[in-house]
Amino acid sequence: MGMHTEVARVLGKDMRLLMGALIVACVVLVGSRAPSDAPSARALPADAVRDVVPNRVMTWNLCNPCKKSNVDRAAEIATYAPQIIGLQEACVRDVERIRDHLESLYGLVYHVEYGAVLRNWSRCGGTPWSPGAYGQALLSAAPMTDAVTVEYPDGGSEDRGYMAVTSTVGGRPTRVFNTHLAERRQEAVRAAQTAVLAAQVARHDRVIVLGDFNAVPDAPELTRMWALAVDADPQCHPSPTGDCRPTTDWRSKFDYIFLRGIVPLEHRVHPTPYSDHDLVQADLKTT
């Protein structure tokens, strides 16, 4: 009996050691999935904006899981300091850090709304039993109200959706949408998604639609959006002869700032080493 007790005691100790090792390994693995943050701010270019620019909007697909530093991501945003920026492929905890860096390192204060459509440990870390939220996010210098998040009935190879808020742009209430459509080679899925999105956009007279549409301007699945709005790039339209600035590393235009009832003043595309998508910016008329 004593021998059996001793064996059980040793086995119990070994099991506790094994469980402890597994927990440590899990924590290390989870931590390795999170983008590392540098301890100090990255210096901004000499011509960088020093305060939020009113009526400037921007869209940026962060690229996930690219494991880029959130300090560097914050510095990219701070360089142009838009009033509103729509982020795609965004993990909630990354956006929290980006927002904190924008305030603590650059003095730029933003409200935030999240449009997460799934929880994914491989993309956003956390723990296998409590993975981080993933999807879209909106940062706005002005308050946002009436926030909604909608998943498309068919996301394609991954859950996709849109979020919408009401904010003040040019001194007037404006409905702002942020979306990420299905991946390339899923044209039929994207067509169904734009039908859902366009139906909501059509309900408002003054709208900004930000996002990664994963489609070139003359793709048939964007027809409904072009019927309702124009792109902030005045040279870009659905005709094959349109001179649209590319917005991705593979030199396609997938990222749009669609405007309905609003006139653009200036449009720019800013290449960045911190994502496979460029930052796309539009300055808007105030009336």
Side-chain angles (χ1 to χ4, degrees), residues 76-87:
E76 289 290 89
I77 295 171
T79 299
Y80 311 106
Q83 177 185 335
I84 296 174
I85 179 165
L87 302 173

Side-chain angles (χ1 to χ4, degrees), residues 77-98:
I77 295 171
T79 299
Y80 311 106
Q83 177 185 335
I84 296 174
I85 179 165
L87 302 173
Q88 303 89 41
E89 295 195 18
C91 296
V92 167
R93 67 176 182 167
D94 286 335
V95 176
E96 289 173 344
R97 291 170 179 167
I98 291 169

Side-chain angles (χ1 to χ4, degrees), residues 56-58 82-86 110 138-141 167 169 176 210:
R56 173 171 290 176
V57 297
M58 183 176 287
Q83 177 185 335
I84 296 174
I85 179 165
Y110 287 95
L138 278 165
L139 298 179
S140 173
S167 191
V169 180
V176 182
L210 309 169

Side-chain angles (χ1 to χ4, degrees), residues 154-176:
D154 182 0
S157 55
E158 179 181 85
D159 292 351
R160 295 291 165 92
Y162 73 83
M163 61 180 301
V165 302
T166 298
S167 191
T168 302
V169 180
R172 298 174 58 187
T174 303
R175 195 65 173 164
V176 182

Side-chain angles (χ1 to χ4, degrees), residues 193-271:
Q193 292 171 347
T194 54
V196 172
L197 178 63
Q200 296 304 310
V201 171
R203 297 176 58 191
H204 305 275
D205 295 329
R206 186 175 170 86
V207 183
I208 300 168
V209 185
L210 309 169
D212 173 6
F213 284 73
N214 271 319
V216 295
D218 62 341
E221 59 265 34
L222 294 189
T223 300
R224 287 183 173 89
M225 289 305 304
W226 288 116
L228 293 170
V230 298
D231 188 68
D233 181 352
Q235 303 302 315
C236 187
H237 46 78
S239 166
T241 60
D243 185 18
C244 301
R245 290 280 302 275
T247 65
T248 66
D249 284 357
W250 47 96
R251 310 328 296 154
S252 295
K253 179 178 172 67
F254 281 179
D255 305 272
Y256 296 81
I257 300 176
F258 282 114
L259 303 174
R260 176 175 167 86
I262 303 173
V263 178
L265 280 175
E266 186 176 28
H267 171 272
R268 290 185 179 181
V269 176
H270 305 288

